[in-house]
Amino acid sequence: MPLHVNLYHEVQRQERARQRDPLRLSMLGLLVIAIGFVANYFVVLAQAHAVGSQYASLAAQFAALDPKAQAAKARQAELNEEITASDTMVKAVESRFYWAPVLDQILKTVPRTVQLTHVGTDAAGSPGGSSLVSITGISSGPEPRKEAEALRTALEARLSGQFKSVTSVFKNLDDSDQIVMLDGRRLATANFTIDFQLVAKDPAAAATPPPARSARIAAK
Amino acid sequence: MKLEQEQIKKIALSALLLVALLYGYFTYLLDPLQLGEKNATNGMAAILPQISDAKQQIAKAADLETKAPQATAFLTDLKNSIPDGAPIAWFPPKMADFFKDHGIDKCTTHLVSEGPGPMPGFRKLVWSVDVPKVEFTPLGIAISSLENDEPLLTILNVSVDATREDAQYQHATLILSTLVKS
């Protein structure tokens, strides 16, 4: 075996020592870590940029929508006000008290033996309130008071079909000295005044049919 | 392996550099980025409902805009049906014409009172319509037409009295209110 003499062993040892230098190794390690951090930074930067862009886009969209939404809100309030006003008007119209059906019922109810001399009405001041009808007249017959009572009950019954509640009361019912001729007979008479209190069923009023019969009101 | 004094110093220096690198990276680079991202995310979470609300608001208004003409048509028609000018100038002739159309030749109309209407833009006028000679049936028909044809008009009071002169005719007085533009 030939003898091998390494004349450079000192140089080689120094070279190995240089390669194993802790500072050099740690610098290499730091460099690797730094490269990793830089790569991570760019990844995070891309994510942040994407989120930022999305936010900027939404903010721009909102900036464009907001004035329109404010204008729409104002317009909606304006329209709601108009609709409310229209509804109020509809209610006001529908809650009116219609007198023609009442006059029609009076016309249909008054018998031949009764002559009305006055019909007076007062509408309720507010919806749901009671309206007043007052009729004054002369009833005639063998028992004129009964004729007047028959008129009161008949009219109350007829009006009850149209109203939520109807109450009637004689304001006065007095025998009269006057004698009237009806169908060739002399009949006694009585003067009466009847008040009817009417409460409407609901604000929506029915159409008002015109009276169909001839007048029953006559002069005293 | 035993470290020499010089090597220990170098390792310590390296450790210091590592700490500085970590601190610098997280404090000056990563944190601002993450803060910006967090702010943008929070902003998006806040702005998305606002955008949704704004879109809903615009849609609601548009929907109402299409429905409103129908809903307010009644009011518009009523407003358009009110003549311009002073009511005292047009209402009494209107009543006279109306009753004349129903075969009642004579009627006089007087303004009784004036007050605010049920809503802004309207005022309420109360009138007295005197019909000196009328039969009950034509009066009933006229009242029926008046109530049906004139939605702004309300008959407050009807008074029908028999006349001594002619048994066929009665004397009627109507108290009615109407709404006019203010």
Side-chain angles (χ1 to χ4, degrees):
Chain A
M1 183 178 171
L3 184 64
H4 181 75
V5 179
N6 185 2
L7 296 176
Y8 296 104
H9 70 279
E10 275 296 322
V11 174
Q12 287 171 344
R13 192 174 60 84
Q14 282 178 358
E15 180 61 22
R16 278 198 300 272
R18 193 185 63 79
Q19 284 179 350
R20 289 173 187 165
D21 182 11
L23 186 61
R24 183 173 169 276
L25 290 175
S26 57
M27 282 298 120
L28 280 173
L30 281 176
L31 185 64
V32 170
I33 291 170
I35 288 168
F37 279 179
V38 168
N40 181 52
Y41 177 78
F42 279 111
V43 169
V44 174
L45 181 68
Q47 282 175 353
H49 182 70
V51 173
S53 298
Q54 201 177 350
Y55 174 62
S57 161
L58 288 173
Q61 190 182 353
F62 180 67
L65 278 176
D66 192 45
K68 288 181 188 171
Q70 295 300 328
K73 197 174 179 180
R75 179 66 183 144
Q76 190 181 2
E78 195 180 317
L79 289 171
N80 277 332
E81 202 172 308
E82 283 180 29
I83 290 169
T84 306
S86 190
D87 287 347
T88 306
M89 185 59 94
V90 168
K91 279 180 189 162
V93 169
E94 286 181 348
S95 63
R96 290 183 304 160
F97 193 96
Y98 288 76
W99 285 112
V102 176
L103 299 179
D104 185 43
Q105 292 303 328
I106 292 172
L107 197 64
K108 286 174 177 168
T109 310
V110 176
R112 291 178 68 246
T113 51
V114 172
Q115 291 183 321
L116 298 186
T117 55
H118 172 80
V119 176
T121 67
D122 261 316
S126 60
S130 63
S131 301
L132 178 72
V133 177
S134 175
I135 58 173
T136 302
I138 303 165
S139 61
S140 62
E143 292 180 87
R145 285 173 173 266
K146 275 192 177 174
E147 294 291 333
E149 172 61 8
L151 172 65
R152 186 188 71 80
T153 51
L155 195 51
E156 185 177 308
R158 274 182 176 270
L159 292 173
S160 294
Q162 292 184 351
F163 294 93
K164 188 177 171 185
S165 81
V166 178
T167 54
S168 64
V169 62
F170 276 107
K171 291 291 283 183
N172 69 285
L173 177 57
D174 302 317
D175 288 325
S176 168
D177 295 337
Q178 283 186 316
I179 301 294
V180 297
M181 294 291 290
L182 184 66
D183 299 331
R185 289 188 302 158
R186 291 166 59 82
L187 299 172
T189 59
N191 296 321
F192 66 85
T193 299
I194 309 170
D195 282 354
F196 294 86
Q197 296 269 358
L198 314 174
V199 178
K201 275 180 180 167
D202 54 52
T208 59
R213 285 176 51 186
S214 59
R216 298 293 308 169
I217 296 178
K220 273 184 183 172
Chain B
M1 185 178 95
K2 194 178 178 183
L3 293 174
E4 293 172 13
Q5 187 69 24
E6 189 68 20
Q7 286 177 321
I8 289 169
K9 281 181 183 175
K10 285 179 180 178
I11 288 169
L13 180 63
S14 300
L16 272 176
L17 280 173
L18 179 64
V19 169
L21 178 69
L22 288 173
Y23 179 78
Y25 176 72
F26 283 106
T27 307
Y28 297 108
L29 292 175
L30 205 58
D31 273 2
L33 267 187
Q34 285 177 336
L35 187 66
E37 188 179 345
K38 191 181 171 186
N39 286 342
T41 307
N42 290 342
M44 276 175 17
I47 211 167
L48 275 171
Q50 288 178 319
I51 289 172
S52 173
D53 287 350
K55 282 180 179 173
Q56 277 182 2
Q57 179 68 59
I58 292 167
K60 267 189 205 171
D63 184 46
L64 200 61
E65 191 82 55
T66 57
K67 288 177 183 167
Q70 195 181 348
T72 58
F74 183 70
L75 184 65
T76 308
D77 289 348
L78 286 183
K79 276 184 180 170
N80 292 337
S81 73
I82 301 172
D84 293 323
I88 193 73
W90 56 261
F91 189 75
K94 184 179 175 180
M95 284 294 101
D97 290 343
F98 176 83
F99 282 106
K100 197 169 275 182
D101 290 344
H102 287 80
I104 301 166
D105 289 333
K106 208 172 172 186
C107 92
T108 50
T109 305
H110 300 285
L111 181 62
V112 176
S113 65
E114 188 173 340
M119 70 190 67
F122 289 92
R123 63 198 164 107
K124 187 177 179 180
L125 302 183
V126 178
W127 305 86
S128 167
V129 180
D130 189 67
V131 186
K133 194 175 175 183
V134 64
E135 286 184 77
F136 191 81
T137 304
L139 177 70
I141 292 168
I143 287 174
S144 173
S145 296
L146 200 60
E147 287 176 332
N148 285 317
D149 297 348
E150 299 288 339
L152 290 173
L153 187 145
T154 305
I155 298 175
L156 304 172
N157 179 291
V158 180
S159 179
V160 185
D161 288 294
T163 56
R164 290 181 180 278
E165 297 78 27
D166 192 341
Q168 188 182 351
Y169 294 104
Q170 288 83 45
H171 174 227
T173 306
L174 309 180
I175 304 294
L176 45 91
S177 70
T178 188
L179 297 176
V180 297
K181 290 178 209 166
S182 56

